[in-house]
Amino acid sequence: MATAQTTKVTGTVISADDNEPIIGASIVVKGTMVGTVTDFDGAFSLDVPSSAKTLVISYVGMKTQEVAVQAVLNIRLNSDTQNIDEVVVTAIGIKRSEKSLGYAVSSVGGEEITKARESNVVNALSGKVAGVRIGQSSGTAGGAAKIQIRGASSIGTNSSPLFVVDGLPIDNGAYNPDDITGNVDAGNRASDISSDDVESINVLKGAAATALYGARAKDGAIVITTKKGSKNMKTFITVNSSTRFENVAKLPEFQNEYAQGNYGEYNVKSLNGWGPNIAKAAADGMQYNNYKGEKVTLQAYPDNVKDFYQTGMSYINNVSVAGGGEKADFRTSFSSVNQKGIIPESDYNKYSFSVNAGMDFNSKFSARVSAQYVRNDSKGRAAQGSNDPNLLVPLVNGLPRTVDTRDIKNNWVDEYGKQITLDPDGKSNNPYWIINKNKYTTRMDRVIGNIILTYKPFEGLTISNNAGTDFYNETRRKIYAKGTVGEMEGKFQTWDLANRIVNNDLMVTYEKTFDDFGIKGIFGHNINQREWTNNNTLANGLIVDGLYTYTNAKATSPVNYYEIKRLMGIYFDLGFSYKSMAFLNVTGRNDWSSTLPVNNRSYFYPSVSAAFVFTELMENKDILNFGKFRINYANVGSDEKPYQLAFQYKAVNTYFLQYSIVNTLPHNGLVGFTGPRIFPLEDLKPQNQSAFEIGADLRFFDNRVRLDATYYRNVTTDQIVSIDVPRSTGYFTNNINAGKLTNNGVEISLGLTPVRTRDWKWDLDINFASNKQTVNELAEGMTNYTLTSGWSGLQVKAQVGESFGLYGTGWKRDDQGNFIINEKTGLRETENNVRLGDIYPDFTMGINNSLSYKGFNLSFLIDIRQGGSLYSGTVSSLRSLGLSAETAVGREDQYIESGVIMNADGTSRPNDVPVKNMQDYWSHMAKTSNTEGCVFDASYVKLRELTFSYSLPRKWFKDFFIKSLDLGFEGRNLWLIKSHVPHIDPEANFFGTAEIGEGVEFNSIPATRSFGFNLKLTL
């Protein structure tokens, strides 16, 4: 209510571009803290001090206006095409003007994140940020997404960025206890964040940008700011609902001419495609036994693999309530993701509740609370990799072309409940036995929350404390029912996992302006502690079928593991500015890590960055509106995993003796322990990384052309690696500091606005990134280091002078590059330990178009990868089994491989020896021990995202309870425009987010495309 000292001012704020009301525009009395924001009609009401003369009206993306105080105001805001003073959130939650930054930061707004929502918010960044690569591990419901910024920086640890939510570092782990044997994609923890709660995602790429976070962010940081309400805003409700359909993005191309067998002869026991010609056998009236022992005429079922997969469904819903009063604001939100996967009997469900609320207790003291509770569960996630009875993809892809999927779906158990296998000898599981009986289940509860207290004793000085925690408890269970081929006695394993992060940042900030000069100093103290618990039990030999309790097992093997790690640090950030034109920032942080030796546990790393807005010196800015140069240097360190400094002895419950005799412990009351496999280094030092970056930000023609370019060089030394040592030492490996690795790269972002009128707007944004990684040196006397391995000689290695690459058995070639052919078999000869290609791309690109006309909006994103290599285990299986389309070519003809035969005198002649048959040829070309036969160029071009929406005019709802309504179509991964990898999606990556390696696909769940409809309304 107005008093004698105030004047009531009312009015509206609308956009000059489309005459639509602007929601949440700030109306502030100039020179005071009195203010409000506009509601959903763009209206506002404000009690203004009678002495006030001017109001300041502002909104993100609009030009700020100052107007004289009047009783009634109707204000039109114009678009601010410059937007150079936009505030971005950087390290430790510090807010800075974008133009003052001396390092590269890329921001993705919440609207961009929710254009075509996914269950994993990380996938929303695909193709949208230069220098950021996103890789989906599989098409599993609720599957993981791997993220990497500016290449891999270490040969000893995974190069993943730190995730931060409202200033709190959170966990983005992806625990995989199975490695390559039956690996189940259980997702990564950043996927727990609801995309509807995200206000913005700022990607901090270089060490200078992340130095204040310490060792945890040496590979960049993903800083997520969640949505909140606004003070003096009426309470409103927003509903966002999407329904999506999912199917396999790319199925293998099969041959449908040949049945199962060997060398043209039918054999029901052989699950392949090397048998007789189906059409010819049917024409001759031949009948054969099928897997059930029935006499049948051979018939091809071209869609038998397609028929196995179902149409998946995703329902993504969010309801939020937000508003605020004079001193407080709030927003609460409930989100749900309910996903039915493409694998029958598989699903994923996620529910999250969040709250973000702030309160100004007085002009000096305020508080803000941000909290999220997440509950998710899943069942039926399929195993990937090799050597596991629960693998689905090799069973489904390996179905003979004469097997009808609908038939095995109805015949997977007999009347006694016994499995009907795919072969009469009972050596191959029926896939419907696995999906119905051997379910993998998970359930997780997680809480992420922090409270920020801010005290401003006098102008310029701010004391704040951000205390928070991130903890979750997760249970998993993997089942092998009795009667499963490969585990006939049955078994199951359960995991109880718990992770807790506690973090506290105490900061003192002082800011002061002296005429043309400004200074800002930040001094802080950080405590970060992480605890990890892994209690799991393996139960072998089930007595009663279907009863999964430990007392029903003949033997159980429990494991109890707990670790704790603590990091303490102090830091400072000193910023200087001159005439809002020149900026200099100097930072420093000293950490003390509990995982390093006492003598080396303290390490300091500095950074310095500068920005110069040179267009402030220009009088004419008609062409070049804004120009900034930036440069920075930083040095950061990182520590080691817990308990690597001492000898580790682990309790065991079995021991092995010669001739396969296995005994259990305790034995006669005695317990047993295994000795350490790693010899620790007592003088272990922190890993060190130095980073240099230079760049420019240029904007032309009233911001119609926007160019941001960056060059960087990162050098990592003293890497912590485990090297093999002679077994005679009593150990397998030794931890040491060794190696030097360099990443050089460029990042370019180009934005164009070819059309901008009252009704029409077309924005075109292109980002390009190229990173060249080089292993400069390893340990003394070492030329290569195996990062990961395990597939018949296939390895991912770091080799001096190269980037990380695939190594394995390759084709032997002469000096001219011709294949050398064995004169006895007509097949290519091989050699071991051949480099088969880089695992990382030469460059990546994203091309994003957005076109709008009045209330209509169309946007589509093209995602491009050029270069790199991929080994496909799926292609290997399809070809060696004679099931892929190419294996049907030339079976009835004589085939001579292109190449040369080496004569005894050292000369060569063109190959003139035909292969004996195509079964031998493809078995040789595609077998896993001949790696090169299934290595392909991993380049691709994809239509990553497509949306089309219509915002109904708000004036239609002027006298209705609905404030706004948007209807739309959305799609993800709709079209694989170009690929060099046959039969599978080239983006497939068997390794999860926690692994170093890439470039390997091994019986992975196929990637999916999704499309559907969206409704968004505000009440």
Side-chain angles (χ1 to χ4, degrees), residues 313-531:
M313 296 291 296
S314 292
Y315 306 95
I316 307 176
N317 296 285
N318 173 264
V319 179
S320 66
V321 181
E326 183 178 350
K327 293 187 176 182
D329 66 82
F330 74 94
R331 181 182 184 273
T332 62
S333 169
F334 175 77
S335 301
S336 66
V337 176
N338 303 101
Q339 189 174 4
K340 181 178 73 172
I342 58 171
I343 302 292
E345 301 299 320
S346 69
D347 64 33
Y348 169 76
N349 302 285
K350 179 177 71 175
Y351 305 94
S352 61
F353 175 78
S354 69
V355 61
N356 192 322
M359 179 74 180
D360 293 335
F361 297 99
N362 53 48
S363 61
K364 295 184 177 181
F365 182 58
S366 63
R368 177 163 295 279
V369 174
S370 173
Q372 301 174 56
Y373 167 71
V374 184
R375 172 71 177 268
N376 67 46
D377 62 72
S378 71
K379 70 174 184 293
R381 283 169 161 164
Q384 307 174 103
S386 64
N387 303 326
D388 188 275
N390 278 346
L391 293 176
L392 265 178
V393 170
L395 285 176
V396 176
N397 285 343
L399 290 173
R401 309 311 301 145
T402 55
V403 173
D404 186 356
T405 303
R406 294 166 295 184
D407 189 48
I408 63 173
K409 181 180 182 179
N410 297 321
N411 293 278
W412 60 277
V413 289
D414 60 19
E415 64 269 29
Y416 304 106
K418 183 180 178 181
Q419 178 182 185
I420 301 176
T421 58
L422 295 180
D423 65 292
D425 288 348
K427 294 182 179 180
S428 184
N429 285 304
N430 188 312
Y432 288 94
W433 171 273
I434 293 175
I435 64 177
N436 286 294
K437 300 280 283 186
N438 295 355
K439 293 188 184 298
Y440 187 98
T441 58
T442 69
R443 176 172 292 176
M444 189 208 69
D445 293 277
R446 183 178 190 181
V447 173
I448 302 171
N450 62 315
I451 179 170
I452 304 173
L453 302 176
T454 304
Y455 178 60
K456 299 179 179 180
F458 55 84
E459 184 177 354
L461 181 65
T462 302
I463 303 171
S464 65
N465 193 85
N466 186 343
T469 185
D470 169 21
F471 66 88
Y472 64 81
N473 293 290
E474 181 183 10
T475 60
R476 302 185 187 183
R477 187 174 73 171
K478 178 189 285 188
I479 290 174
Y480 301 82
K482 291 191 70 172
T484 298
V485 177
E487 291 289 349
M488 294 301 293
E489 293 298 312
K491 70 177 183 179
F492 70 96
Q493 188 167 7
T494 61
W495 291 267
D496 291 313
L497 310 172
N499 187 80
R500 182 172 69 170
I501 295 174
V502 177
N503 190 86
N504 190 86
D505 277 288
L506 173 64
M507 290 195 300
V508 178
T509 304
Y510 182 74
E511 190 169 7
K512 183 71 173 178
T513 301
F514 305 93
D515 297 324
D516 294 335
F517 295 90
I519 184 172
K520 185 175 183 179
I522 300 173
F523 300 89
H525 178 269
N526 172 250
I527 299 176
N528 182 271
Q529 179 173 294
R530 173 172 177 168
E531 297 173 78

Side-chain angles (χ1 to χ4, degrees), residues 54 149 183 195 255 268 329 352 441 459 501 694 747 807 903 923 984 991-992 1003:
T54 306
I149 301 175
N183 167 32
S195 57
Q255 60 85 6
V268 70
D329 66 82
S352 61
T441 58
E459 184 177 354
I501 295 174
I694 188 170
E747 297 165 352
Y807 290 78
N903 299 317
S923 296
I984 65 165
F991 296 105
N1003 295 320

Side-chain angles (χ1 to χ4, degrees), residues 924-938:
H924 177 76
M925 290 291 294
K927 65 181 179 180
T928 56
S929 57
N930 287 345
T931 318
E932 188 176 353
C934 294
V935 173
F936 307 96
D937 179 357

